[in-house]
């Protein structure tokens, strides 16, 4: 398969960095713990979906004219289910319509089951340079509890195959704090994952999300709730173990070998702009937060309508957007502080003051003071950050950073207007 | 309306025996409310009443009824609550009537509480119209229940009516019997005005509305009126009747029931039981008023948000206008700040008041554990009355404590007598006497009425529910105050994070105090969420620690990943957590949820 055309080099690269998130909502089966915008049994929508995504890229391109795309992230759902032909159409559209940095990070979320040598080689050839593999556990009984479609063995062989296909930047997603999981079982999973030396590890504590199959099993008493003390033990052990293995803990749930931090996710935590495309994708762009309609068929219809509108009038009202908010200055500051404190390095008070025209003290004085005292926050020479204990109690700090008045997204929102 | 054509009556019934449905049918049959405006439990206007399916407030409605002979009658129905806690509402309603319809469920028979209300009605010389309701139910035993009414109350067997309020069967017979058997009101329309205030409520536009039964004379808008006991003078904005919504009329004359819009804004200006008369040419003597309700249960009510203290005061003032049995006075707590010590008729009453304060007045509340009223003789000979644990003198200053005992009447099929006996004895109760209510066939089916004496503090919590569950729902309960008897009690204090939380103190029998302390600390350990530090919870009696538990410091409170940049959702989750924290009360540096202050109520479970 031919590689897509590269952009012509430019002497004057666009100034501002932009992240693109592209959502592929399809799955072969819905996992028991998953509350993402993902669907099993919608394969018949796939042929319409890729053209819609390509159309949406075109709709946004004029608004992103002055930006340089630094990272692209295919999230899901299961992007690794997309055919190479579909992926190629999407990548071509990105290159054709946007200014893309030559060293851009192209991440694709993958399930082990789809990572055949052929598919991996194809993706690598298209320019995907980072894979995030949803391994979750390396025990088959735990994978069954999570209703995952692969075995531990398959997960490890998928990692090997990715290496063989030339992927030198891999993330492995793992979930700890599984129901009834003793520390030792988690230790085994993490040790086996370390043995394949991924560049990046995301280790999430299991959250029993309302609306998931797992939630109902817990609510009905078929499964116990996760024990928060066991989860805390696992987190503390993980932090120590990964540090010894040479990984840098850079975000509450994320570790990376030096220089291998996920550039795309850093955009979220640093409150930098991103455009999300595809069903249910979220954006933070031009001071607004907004999201697309969730249902893939409705998304396809809305994008078609928007494209038709543009063809007819030269403008589009971006009908695929289901709603959003224009956060107040206070809400934007709180978002930035909350997201920024998820980074282990914490917040740079000087940079914060420059960006928001308001010092951290002026914005959050009493809360910061209180948690310096409780020992959840600490100051370093040039940062404010969570302490080691504060990392796993972050919400105790975050709730006190929220503005007094809860944000009311529906009322505050007006659809963004762009010449498109 | 000619006085001879007026009938004032109440309906006496046990909960679920069909009183509100019967009232609905009467309203329908007389065309008082257009069919399209009809809804179930029409007279139960509070949301709470509809949700719980019970009547809390007495309500009045005027029905226009054309009898079979073509004569027109004005029937004033005063609907009354059935639960024992609201017996006081019933007594006021009955005092405004000449007759009462006694409704008994054909599947259940006479219940203890019904009987108590019947005796009240007979004391007031009201004419009784006995009705066996729900005769169309499969389990109905109309003949047997009719016989029971004849045996227990002593009515003429031929006067017992059979009806189904649900289907409408027999309703006309009941209306006919009301006209025939309930005497018209006796008062003199020419005499100086005397009207009994049997209820009142606050209306934002019309000020205080007093609900009256005119005994003598006539009330018209524009007259100068006076409340005889309170001495309040006013010129009414309007005079009206209940249809059941307020409807203005020219005048209310002797025998009629209606309302007077006083225009008064001060809620302290009128009192239920007062007599309304004319400012000039008024009556020399007021009507006999009501015996004031005696509060049996006391608890502190505190605003969750200390800034809303004065809102809570206003709410209590307005509410006590509508509920004369509610008592309250300011108190303060080290833990909870400023609030009010309130007296209630019973636990259901307390629960209803709390809910009405929160719903109708929007004040979020913390209630402390309910207590009964103790009489204490101090060693120096002084007598004090204690209705709050914090007021109990130190053990060395107490010569004797007496607590209220109740006379409990339980009606039940004989087969459950053993279970009832066991329950009462487990609550320090004593058996008094037993009576057979009917001559029924099978021995186990025979209905009996058992009387016991038991301390009020023991039957306050969970007794009624236990009685129901141990008798498969068959037993019913009535109780009234009997006497103050000596008690061996002590104050159980609770320390949270080393500080005594006065709002968590309770007065308990000495024999079980330590065991109670252990249970309470365990319950609190579950109710108080984990904080950023270990929180010891201790129970102490007279400074001696009898139990200790620890709420371990929280170690995890963090959200997982930020799904594809959905910051708004993450913020909403945090806002929900923040709102949850706001509902808690800071006691020292510990966040304590509302439920913790009621923990003592859960200990029996």
């Amino acid at each position: 398969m031919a590689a897509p055309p590269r952009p012509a080099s430019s002497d004057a690269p666009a100034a501002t960095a932009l992240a693109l998130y592209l959502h592929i909502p399809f799955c072969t089966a819905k996992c028991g713990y998953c509350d993402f915008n993902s669907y099993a049994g919608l394969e018949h929508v796939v042929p319409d979906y890729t053209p819609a995504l390509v159309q949406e890229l075109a709709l946004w391109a004029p608004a992103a004219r002055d930006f340089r795309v630094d990272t692209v992230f295919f999230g899901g759902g299961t992007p690794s289910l997309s055919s190479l032909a579909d992926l190629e159409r999407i990548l071509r559209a990105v290159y054709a319509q946007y200014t893309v940095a030559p060293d851009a990070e192209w991440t694709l979320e993958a399930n082990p089951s789809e990572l055949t040598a052929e598919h991996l080689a194809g993706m690598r050839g298209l320019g995907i340079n980072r894979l995030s593999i949803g391994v979750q556990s390396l025990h088959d009984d735990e994978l069954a509890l999570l209703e995952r479609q692969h075995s531990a063995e398959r997960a490890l062989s998928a990692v090997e195959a990715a290496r063989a296909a030339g992927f030198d930047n891999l993330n492995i997603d793992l979930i700890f704090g599984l129901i009834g999981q003793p520390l030792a079982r988690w230790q085994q999973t993490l040790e086996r994952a370390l043995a394949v030396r991924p560049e990046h590890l995301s280790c999430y504590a299991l959250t029993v999300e309302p609306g998931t199959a797992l939630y109902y099993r817990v609510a009905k008493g078929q499964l116990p709730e996760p024990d928060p003390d066991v989860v805390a033990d696992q987190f503390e052990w993980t932090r120590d173990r990964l540090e010894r293995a040479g990984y840098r803990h850079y975000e509450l749930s994320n570790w990376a070998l030096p220089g291998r931090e996920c550039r795309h996710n850093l955009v979220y935590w640093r409150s930098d702009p991103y455009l999300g495309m595809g069903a249910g994708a979220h954006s933070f762009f031009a001071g607004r937060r907004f999201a697309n309609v969730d249902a893939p068929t409705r998304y396809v219809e809305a994008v078609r309508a928007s494209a038709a509108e543009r063809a007819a009038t030269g403008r589009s009202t971006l009908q695929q957007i289901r709603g959003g908010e224009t956060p107040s200055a206070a809400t934007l500051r709180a978002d930035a502080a909350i997201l920024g404190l998820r980074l282990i390095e914490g917040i740079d008070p000087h940079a914060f003051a420059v960006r928001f025209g308001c010092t951290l003290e002026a914005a959050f004085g009493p809360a910061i003071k209180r948690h310096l005292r409780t020992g959840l926050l600490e100051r370093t020479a040039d940062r404010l950050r969570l302490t080691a204990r504060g990392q796993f109690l972050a919400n105790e700090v975050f709730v006190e950073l929220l503005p007094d008045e809860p944000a009311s997204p529906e009322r505050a929102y007006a659809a963004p207007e762009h010449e498109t | 309306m000619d006085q001879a054509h007026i009938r004032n009556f109440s309906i006496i019934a046990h909960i679920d025996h069909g009183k509100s449905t019967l009232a609905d049918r009467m309203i329908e049959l007389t065309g008082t409310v257009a069919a399209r405006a009809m809804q179930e439990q029409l007279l139960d206007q509070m949301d709470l009443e509809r949700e719980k399916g019970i009547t809390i407030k007495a309500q009045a409605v005027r029905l226009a009824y054309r009898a079979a002979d073509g004569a027109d009658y004005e029937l004033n129905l005063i609907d009354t609550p059935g639960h024992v806690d609201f017996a006081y509402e019933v007594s006021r309603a009955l005092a405004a009537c000449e007759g009462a319809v006694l409704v008994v469920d054909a599947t259940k028979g006479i219940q203890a509480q019904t009987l108590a209300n019947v005796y009240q009605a007979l004391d007031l010389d009201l004419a009784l119209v006995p009705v066996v309701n729900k005769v169309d139910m499969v389990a109905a035993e109309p003949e047997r229940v009719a016989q029971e009414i004849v045996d227990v109350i002593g009515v003429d067997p031929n006067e017992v009516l059979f009806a189904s309020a649900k289907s409408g069967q027999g309703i006309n017979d009941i209306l006919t019997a009301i006209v025939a058997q309930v005497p018209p009101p006796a008062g003199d329309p020419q005499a100086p005005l005397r009207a009994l205030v049997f209820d009142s409520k606050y209306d934002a536009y019309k000020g205080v509305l007093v609900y009256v039964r005119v005994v003598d004379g006539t009330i018209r808008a524009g007259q100068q009126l006076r409340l005889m006991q309170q001495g309040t003078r006013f010129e009414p904005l309007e005079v009206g009747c209940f249809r059941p919504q307020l409807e203005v009329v020219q005048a209310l004359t002797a025998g009629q029931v209606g309302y007077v819009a006083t225009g008064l804004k001060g809620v302290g200006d009128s009192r239920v039981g007062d007599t309304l008369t004319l400012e000039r040419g008024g009556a020399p003597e007021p009507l006999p008023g009501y015996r004031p309700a005696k509060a049996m249960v006391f608890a502190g009510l505190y605003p969750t948000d200390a800034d809303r203290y004065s809102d809570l005061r206003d709410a209590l003032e307005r509410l006590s206008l509508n509920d004369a049995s509610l008592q309250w006075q300011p108190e303060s707590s080290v833990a909870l700040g400023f609030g009010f010590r309130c007296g209630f008729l019973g636990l259901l009453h307390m629960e209803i008041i709390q809910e009405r304060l929160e719903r109708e007045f929007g004040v979020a509340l913390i209630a402390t554990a309910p207590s009964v009223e103790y009489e204490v003789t101090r060693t120096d000979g002084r007598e004090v009355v204690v209705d709050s644990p914090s007021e109990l003198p130190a053990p060395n200053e107490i010569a004797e404590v007496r607590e209220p005992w109740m006379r409990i009447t339980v009606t039940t099929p004989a087969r459950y007598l053993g279970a009832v006996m066991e329950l009462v004895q487990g609550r320090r109760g004593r058996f008094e006497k037993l009576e057979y209510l009917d001559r029924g066939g099978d021995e186990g089916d025979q209905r009996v009425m058992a009387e016991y004496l038991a301390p009020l503090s023991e039957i306050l919590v969970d007794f009624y529910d236990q009685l129901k569950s141990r008798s498969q729902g068959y037993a019913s309960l009535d109780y009234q105050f009997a006497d103050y008897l000596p008690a061996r009690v002590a104050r159980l204090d609770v320390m949270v994070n080393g500080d005594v939380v006065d709002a968590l103190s309770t007065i308990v029998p000495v024999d079980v105090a330590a065991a109670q302390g252990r249970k309470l600390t365990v319950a609190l350990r579950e109710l108080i969420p984990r904080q950023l530090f270990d929180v010891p919870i201790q129970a102490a009696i007279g400074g001696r620690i009898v139990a200790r538990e620890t709420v371990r410091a929280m170690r995890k409170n963090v959200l997982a990943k930020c799904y594809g940049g959905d910051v708004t959702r993450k913020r909403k989750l945090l806002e929900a957590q923040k709102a949850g924290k706001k509902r808690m009360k800071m006691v020292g540096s510990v966040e304590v949820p509302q439920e913790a202050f009621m923990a003592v109520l859960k200990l029996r479970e």
Side-chain angles (χ1 to χ4, degrees), chain A residues 106-119:
Chain A
W106 289 80
T107 305
L108 186 138
E109 281 186 341
N111 274 343
S113 315
E114 285 86 36
L115 295 182
T116 59
E118 188 194 351
H119 200 66

Side-chain angles (χ1 to χ4, degrees), chain B residues 26-39:
Chain B
M26 290 180 171
I27 290 167
E28 251 173 32
L29 193 75
T30 55
T32 304
V33 171
R36 68 188 141 73
M38 198 58 207
Q39 50 176 333

Side-chain angles (χ1 to χ4, degrees), chain B residues 314-337:
Chain B
D314 291 348
L316 283 167
E317 275 181 0
R318 297 246 162 116
L319 201 57
S320 50
L321 184 68
N322 190 229
D323 182 347
S325 54
L326 171 65
Q327 300 173 5
W328 49 278
Q329 61 184 51
E331 76 167 359
S332 69
S333 149
V334 179
L336 301 179

Side-chain angles (χ1 to χ4, degrees), chain B residues 27 67 78 99-100 112 125 150 182 207 226 365 458 548 563 570:
Chain B
I27 290 167
I78 304 179
D125 281 333
V150 169
V182 176
R226 177 164 57 93
L365 293 176
E458 296 279 347
R548 183 193 158 109
Y563 308 116
K570 183 187 270 307

Side-chain angles (χ1 to χ4, degrees), chain A residues 35-36 204 207 209 229 232-233 236 274 282 325 331 335 342 389 392-396 402-403 406-407, chain B residues 530 532 554-561 563-571 574-575 577-578 581:
Chain A
D35 75 333
F36 291 19
Y204 299 111
T207 311
E209 297 285 357
D229 289 333
D233 288 342
E236 284 170 13
Y274 49 93
H282 290 263
E325 60 175 338
T331 299
D335 288 347
R342 285 190 69 96
R389 178 166 182 244
F392 222 46
L393 289 165
N395 284 358
E396 293 290 314
L402 292 171
Chain B
R530 297 171 74 170
L532 290 175
M554 179 189 343
R555 294 180 59 204
K556 172 186 187 280
N557 181 15
V558 63
L559 295 174
K561 70 199 281 188
Y563 308 116
D566 188 354
V567 173
T568 307
R569 172 186 150 138
K570 183 187 270 307
R571 192 194 312 125
L574 289 171
E575 277 168 355
Q577 273 205 19
K578 181 176 168 178
K581 281 175 183 285

Side-chain angles (χ1 to χ4, degrees), chain B residues 198-237:
Chain B
F198 66 89
D199 205 349
S200 61
K201 79 179 238 189
Y202 188 82
D203 181 286
Y205 302 103
K206 297 170 186 170
V208 175
L209 300 179
V210 292
Y211 292 12
V212 294
R213 155 71 199 269
V214 183
V215 175
D216 295 319
T218 302
I219 309 179
R220 288 188 178 82
Q223 292 170 316
Q224 284 295 318
L225 299 178
R226 177 164 57 93
L227 284 160
M228 295 182 76
Q229 282 168 21
Q230 214 70 358
T232 311
R233 292 165 170 77
F234 63 93
E235 187 185 313
L237 302 178

